[in-house]
Amino acid sequence: MEFAYCKLEIFIPESHLGALQQALAEVDAGHIGAYDCCLSYHPVTGCWRPLDGTNPYLGTVGEICTAPELKVEVTCKTERVAQTIAAIKAVHPYEEPVINAIPLYQVGL
């Protein structure tokens, strides 16, 4: 079964939301019918431990870190997922950003 759309979940510091919104708009992610720039976000708490050899945006190598983040959800065409993820990574401050691409069975019901 082919899926025409994916939902992307992106975890990012609130300070970078504006840059992310612009990057998503530039690749037409969040285009739903006669609307564009559609996304949602809500606060979450992220948790991670930077390992040896990393250069963390937040936290200290070897120590568990928690910090407020936003979980951003946006829909994009499956054929544009790679381009959209590249645009996200270009503005994301983390070395290893969490970006989940989830195929959608149906959209806009």
Side-chain angles (χ1 to χ4, degrees), residues 28-82:
D28 203 31
H31 193 138
I32 301 171
Y35 294 83
D36 69 358
C37 299
C38 301
L39 58 79
S40 62
Y41 58 90
H42 54 277
V44 297
T45 300
C47 180
W48 60 91
R49 178 172 47 199
L51 300 176
D52 288 338
T54 62
N55 183 23
Y57 175 74
L58 291 173
T60 303
V61 172
E63 295 180 15
I64 293 176
C65 178
T66 60
E69 297 179 299
L70 294 177
K71 178 181 178 183
V72 178
E73 298 180 72
V74 65
T75 302
C76 75
K77 291 193 175 209
T78 301
E79 66 196 31
R80 300 190 72 160
V81 167

Side-chain angles (χ1 to χ4, degrees), residues 75-99:
T75 302
C76 75
K77 291 193 175 209
T78 301
E79 66 196 31
R80 300 190 72 160
V81 167
Q83 178 186 16
T84 304
I85 290 173
I88 294 165
K89 287 184 174 183
V91 299
H92 205 295
Y94 297 170
E95 283 182 298
E96 301 287 343
V98 175
I99 305 166

